Amino acid sequence: MAGRVEPVPARDAATVVILRPGTGGPEVYLLRRKATMAFAAGAYVFPGGSVDPRDTDQAVAWAGPSPAEWGALFHAGEQVARGLVCAAVRETFEESGVLLAGPGPDSVVADTTGDDWEADRLALIDRSLAFADFLARRGLVLRSDLLKPWAHWITPEIEQRRFDTRFFVAVLPEGQRTRDVGGEADQVVWQRPSRALELAHQGEIFLMPPTYATLGELSAHADVAGVLAAPREIVTIMPRAVEIEGEMRLVTT
């Protein structure tokens, strides 16, 4: 804050809010990050992660809005936008088993629970398999039209691990189901946004500011259709540390 240390560059990343209809309104899929993780340990988060350099591969089979269109929405170059969308779909599959892809532009994979799918998921995680090769081998195309842009958050400059993260929203495809996939998470849960906020207020769970804010926005909608129909203007938010009455706090204004 005194200007004596240069901020760490923020890495491009993507996060996906997976939605499904629930009895009391839409539910979201949350993972609790392991306590041993270097970033956001113990926090409940949406699936997501950093862009892999191979996510910008031109060979990725694609259906839906183009990288250029996504770039216009997120105020990013075409190559960066391509990487963000590919990372969104790849990380969602890695961390939940949900795959936003199908044999064609109007179809989606119905089931990803077999042993062969699990082997591919693990290969994607350890980076021995590129996402483009994974899709090509299975004859699949990425369905960018199944994603909705939602927000853009950048980790505060005071942090040593920083991410330039675009948030997406997607509906759980019919026939697919999430599963406990392990890895960086030690617990997963489907939860109504309002209930997740209640648990955070009660100290039962820990939420990072972007997750908290996103859940607050989602809780205003009575159903999944309302979320998908909501107009969104993507504004970049980077919280900053300020001293208020002798305490350091993060603010977004």
Side-chain angles (χ1 to χ4, degrees):
M1 290 177 63
R4 295 191 294 268
V5 178
E6 286 292 323
V8 175
R11 300 172 59 185
D12 286 319
T15 290
V16 180
V17 182
I18 307 174
L19 295 168
R20 74 176 185 185
T23 55
E27 297 178 341
V28 299
Y29 181 76
L30 293 168
L31 309 94
R32 185 177 69 183
R33 290 174 61 82
K34 291 180 178 177
T36 55
M37 298 302 297
F39 182 80
Y44 279 78
V45 300
F46 307 116
S50 299
V51 173
D52 184 317
R54 295 176 297 178
D55 288 331
T56 61
D57 195 331
Q58 295 283 342
V60 172
W62 193 286
S66 68
E69 292 174 279
W70 281 102
L73 291 170
F74 280 126
H75 313 295
E78 183 173 342
Q79 185 176 25
V80 170
R82 180 185 295 275
L84 290 168
V85 173
C86 287
V89 177
R90 176 181 53 75
E91 288 281 349
T92 298
F93 179 60
E94 290 180 10
E95 297 196 342
S96 72
V98 172
L99 183 59
L100 304 175
D106 300 315
S107 59
V108 66
V109 173
D111 183 21
T112 63
T113 58
D115 291 342
D116 57 332
W117 288 103
E118 181 64 7
D120 282 348
R121 188 186 71 82
L122 294 175
L124 287 169
I125 289 176
D126 67 21
R127 300 297 182 261
S128 62
L129 176 64
F131 187 57
D133 294 335
F134 162 68
L135 293 178
R137 190 171 68 190
R138 289 184 171 273
L140 300 174
V141 297
L142 178 153
R143 292 283 307 277
S144 79
D145 57 314
L146 298 180
L147 292 164
K148 175 185 174 68
W150 194 262
H152 180 194
W153 287 77
I154 302 178
T155 310
E157 292 183 333
I158 61 171
E159 296 287 351
Q160 295 185 351
R161 291 176 179 268
R162 303 184 62 229
F163 299 93
D164 187 342
T165 308
R166 273 68 167 197
F167 280 62
F168 301 79
V169 167
V171 180
L172 178 67
E174 185 175 355
Q176 291 193 31
R177 60 182 185 272
T178 56
R179 58 191 188 277
D180 298 344
V181 295
E184 296 180 353
D186 60 11
Q187 185 173 328
V188 299
V189 64
W190 281 99
Q191 190 63 270
R192 287 184 294 109
S194 59
R195 179 55 180 161
L197 293 174
E198 290 175 5
L199 293 173
H201 291 159
Q202 296 166 5
E204 298 290 331
I205 66 173
F206 168 50
L207 300 173
M208 299 287 284
T211 311
Y212 184 95
T214 301
L215 289 169
E217 294 166 343
L218 295 171
S219 66
H221 300 282
D223 52 32
V224 170
V227 175
L228 297 180
R232 297 296 297 176
E233 179 183 359
I234 307 302
V235 178
T236 302
I237 302 173
M238 185 176 72
R240 55 190 179 87
V242 298
E243 185 176 349
I244 300 176
E245 298 179 353
E247 294 185 356
M248 298 305 300
R249 299 182 183 180
L250 288 176
V251 300
T252 58
T253 57

